[in-house]
Amino acid sequence: MATLLRSKLSNVATSVSNKSQAKVSGMFARMGFQAATDEEAVGFAHCDDLDFEHRQGLQMDILKTEGEPCGDEGAEPPVEGDIRYQRGGGAPLPPSGSKDQAVGAGGEFGGHDKPKITAWEAGWNVTNAIQGMFVLGLPYAILHGGYLGLFLIIFAAVVCCYTGKILIACLYEENEDGEVVRVRDSYVAIANACCAPRFPTLGGRVVNVAQIIELVMTCILYVVVSGNLMYNSFPGLPVSQKSWSIIATAVLLPCAFLKNLKAVSKFSLLCTLAHFVINILVIAYCLSRARDWAWEKVKFYIDVKKFPISIGIIVFSYTSQIFLPSLEGNMQQPSEFHCMMNWTHIAACVLKGLFALVAYLTWADETKEVITDNLPGSIRAVVNIFLVAKALLSYPLPFFAAVEVLEKSLFQEGSRAFFPACYGGDGRLKSWGLTLRCALVVFTLLMAIYVPHFALLMGLTGSLTGAGLCFLLPSLFHLRLLWRKLLWHQVFFDVAIFVIGGICSVSGFVHSLEGLIEAYRTNAED
């Protein structure tokens, strides 16, 4: 009897030990640590004498006690700063497939029941980002760059396509069996891996800051272009451009109460289709005036002072790297990602080049910052109203993404948070969370009022964050993480892109800033 009692006590002690071990392992797995080797993982499995059903129940208990909001078992919360948005106004991307994807083996990340998208759907998302409203500023870039501006549109497409591919390559590593496995799930995770082990969070913070700047500047540009288009559509009304911007912001103020983008995404999809129709109408009008095209105005010259601004405008129109990791993780066939990037950027290059050239040939030296302002009054009002509607319905997407990054960085629950959480236990938005959102909307209004220059703001943003996220960081991360596996020509391409991107970024930022200061002084004198 005593022997039987000792045997039962020993079994209970072993079970408790294994439960504690499983809890600790689960906790470290959610923190980002993994077993060093497959043998170590097998060792833990052999130590656990519980049956399979009990281990599954234990895993469910751990997930419940941790209070994970995700519905998928074993799913990891998104990395801080991992955002899913489209600047061009398309529907939001589905939740990140982050760690469900693995090439080769079944993958070390579980959960294959999330909805996946096809290569065509992924291409639609990329097209929405790089064929959005900001194409309207490209003819202005040709005004200051001539044929070199057209070459830059092609060059930027090639480079952005390449950096998008190498950024995705940084998500993968080879395991001990030589199989390529997805071990990272976001731009932030790649940046953190590059700065580890000395500064494990520095890279993610840099990327987060760049993301916030680009997202907020995108929101500002939407307000600026709305005020600009309405003012030029109805010049007879006693309403200034600043007043139109205030009216547009009043319409956008309900964005502060957004909890999701389901309703907005439906309208955004319609607006994206409308935008393509508007581009076709503009091109059709330009073709109707083909006899008057000013071919002699397009020359092999550059305006040294203003051409760097054009570089920022062109680069900003191609930025899509922020959401590419999430997009690739949600594809049904990740192997089709490279092909998708090729045809989307080829199509974007052709359409942007034709649109910019045809529009510039039509108006030549009279080309304005927003090309639709050159249209005749009867057509301009109709086209601009559609564009304003698209801008207003596109605003919530980058706004919501910027708020998400700020809330996760500053207000998230945990020891790293600087401020209390924005949401209460019942899921309601607290007062300071609402204040943060309203302050962000008001900030975009103030910037649009005091800096109402679409092309200069676009060039500044493209030079500051666009070049960094599209040129500098992907090439640097590629060299840092995959140095031993790169061929000499890949190293050459990465170094060349980094150097050229750095020069263009600095020169574009300086000249855009000078242009804004000059424009501000001119407005103050007037």
Side-chain angles (χ1 to χ4, degrees):
M1 184 69 179
T3 303
L4 181 60
L5 182 60
R6 282 196 300 272
S7 176
K8 290 185 176 181
L9 289 174
S10 176
N11 290 336
V12 170
T14 302
S15 300
V16 171
S17 174
N18 287 330
K19 289 180 180 180
S20 301
Q21 198 172 51
K23 289 184 178 181
V24 173
S25 300
M27 179 183 68
F28 276 91
R30 281 186 292 277
M31 292 173 62
F33 297 98
Q34 301 171 1
T37 61
D38 291 338
E39 289 78 13
E40 184 177 345
V42 173
F44 277 113
H46 282 303
C47 289
D48 193 355
D49 61 345
L50 301 176
D51 58 29
F52 177 77
E53 290 76 15
H54 182 75
R55 288 200 305 271
Q56 289 294 102
L58 177 61
Q59 189 176 19
M60 285 297 297
D61 290 339
I62 294 172
L63 292 176
K64 290 178 181 178
T65 56
E66 290 293 329
E68 290 195 12
C70 300
D72 297 330
E73 298 176 10
E76 189 175 273
V79 177
E80 179 182 328
D82 181 22
I83 47 117
R84 292 161 295 278
Y85 82 99
Q86 296 172 23
R87 192 181 66 245
L93 295 176
S96 173
S98 65
K99 296 195 174 181
D100 336 299
Q101 301 297 317
V103 179
E108 57 187 354
F109 308 123
H112 292 269
D113 56 343
K114 292 183 179 180
K116 302 297 180 181
I117 59 176
T118 65
W120 286 101
E121 292 170 331
W124 171 254
N125 281 277
V126 173
T127 301
N128 285 333
I130 62 179
Q131 295 276 39
M133 284 191 61
F134 303 106
V135 176
L136 300 176
L138 291 181
Y140 188 76
I142 303 299
L143 173 65
H144 299 299
Y147 285 111
L148 189 58
L150 286 174
F151 169 78
L152 191 59
I153 291 176
I154 300 173
F155 177 77
V158 173
V159 173
C160 289
C161 181
Y162 173 76
T163 56
K165 293 176 182 178
I166 64 176
L167 184 67
I168 296 303
C170 293
L171 299 173
Y172 292 86
E173 288 185 3
E174 287 187 3
N175 60 15
E176 293 182 347
D177 298 327
E179 297 172 336
V180 181
V181 180
R182 200 175 201 262
V183 296
R184 303 178 187 95
D185 62 352
S186 68
Y187 209 139
V188 172
I190 295 172
N192 284 333
C194 289
C195 295
R198 290 189 177 182
F199 307 101
T201 61
L202 177 62
R205 290 177 180 175
V206 172
V207 171
N208 275 340
V209 170
Q211 287 179 350
I212 291 173
I213 292 174
E214 179 162 325
L215 292 168
V216 173
M217 291 299 291
T218 301
C219 294
I220 294 170
L221 285 169
Y222 281 134
V223 178
V224 171
V225 77
S226 297
N228 180 288
L229 292 173
M230 293 302 294
Y231 176 73
N232 288 284
S233 298
F234 305 100
L237 294 179
V239 183
S240 65
Q241 181 174 336
K242 294 180 181 180
S243 300
W244 281 118
S245 297
I246 294 174
I247 295 172
T249 306
V251 175
L252 295 171
L253 197 57
C255 291
F257 300 91
L258 280 178
K259 289 188 177 181
N260 59 70
L261 298 175
K262 291 182 180 179
V264 177
S265 63
K266 298 178 181 178
F267 294 103
S268 297
L269 179 59
L270 294 176
C271 287
T272 301
L273 295 174
H275 179 62
F276 280 101
V277 173
I278 290 170
N279 284 347
I280 293 173
L281 291 176
V282 173
I283 293 177
Y285 176 80
C286 294
L287 291 176
S288 68
R289 296 183 54 187
R291 294 181 179 179
D292 301 325
W293 282 357
W295 285 98
E296 68 280 0
K297 295 291 185 178
V298 188
K299 300 178 181 179
F300 289 95
Y301 79 98
I302 60 173
D303 187 329
V304 178
K305 191 173 182 179
K306 294 186 177 180
F307 182 67
I309 302 174
S310 302
I311 296 175
I313 293 173
I314 293 171
V315 171
F316 186 72
S317 70
Y318 278 109
T319 52
S320 63
Q321 271 73 357
I322 290 179
F323 67 85
L324 287 182
S326 177
L327 184 69
E328 189 265 353
N330 282 277
M331 290 181 64
Q332 294 176 357
Q333 299 293 334
S335 59
E336 298 178 351
F337 178 82
H338 282 207
C339 179
M340 181 272 296
M341 288 290 288
N342 289 337
W343 63 259
T344 51
H345 282 74
I346 289 173
C349 173
V350 172
L351 293 176
K352 287 181 178 182
L354 289 176
F355 181 85
L357 179 61
V358 167
Y360 175 73
L361 289 174
T362 303
W363 290 286
D365 294 338
E366 297 178 0
T367 300
K368 297 183 180 180
E369 291 185 10
V370 182
I371 195 61
T372 55
D373 289 342
N374 288 103
L375 292 171
S378 56
I379 303 176
R380 184 198 316 157
V382 177
V383 171
N384 284 355
I385 287 175
F386 276 99
L387 286 174
V388 169
K390 174 177 167 48
L392 296 179
L393 289 172
S394 299
Y395 180 97
L397 299 172
F399 174 83
F400 189 81
V403 168
E404 187 179 34
V405 176
L406 286 172
E407 288 179 349
K408 288 182 178 179
S409 301
L410 303 177
F411 297 86
Q412 194 175 28
E413 294 279 8
S415 59
R416 292 189 303 167
F418 294 94
F419 304 102
C422 289
Y423 293 93
D426 56 355
R428 292 184 178 181
L429 191 65
K430 294 183 179 179
S431 58
W432 52 82
L434 182 60
T435 302
L436 168 70
R437 294 170 175 229
C438 292
L440 189 57
V441 175
V442 173
F443 175 75
T444 59
L445 169 63
L446 294 177
M447 287 292 294
I449 289 176
Y450 288 103
V451 195
H453 302 284
F454 180 75
L456 292 175
L457 278 176
M458 189 175 169
L460 180 68
T461 308
S463 300
L464 182 62
T465 61
L469 293 172
C470 292
F471 291 178
L472 304 181
L473 294 183
S475 56
L476 183 63
F477 294 164
H478 196 224
L479 290 170
R480 173 70 175 83
L481 295 176
L482 302 175
W483 172 260
R484 297 182 180 180
K485 301 178 182 179
L486 297 180
L487 301 176
W488 69 267
H489 66 275
Q490 293 175 311
V491 174
F492 173 78
F493 288 153
D494 290 348
V495 173
I497 290 172
F498 185 84
V499 173
I500 295 173
I503 295 173
C504 293
S505 177
V506 173
S507 62
F509 176 76
V510 171
H511 286 87
S512 297
L513 199 59
E514 289 179 350
L516 286 172
I517 294 173
E518 182 179 350
Y520 183 79
R521 288 176 179 174
T522 303
N523 292 338
E525 292 175 358
D526 294 340

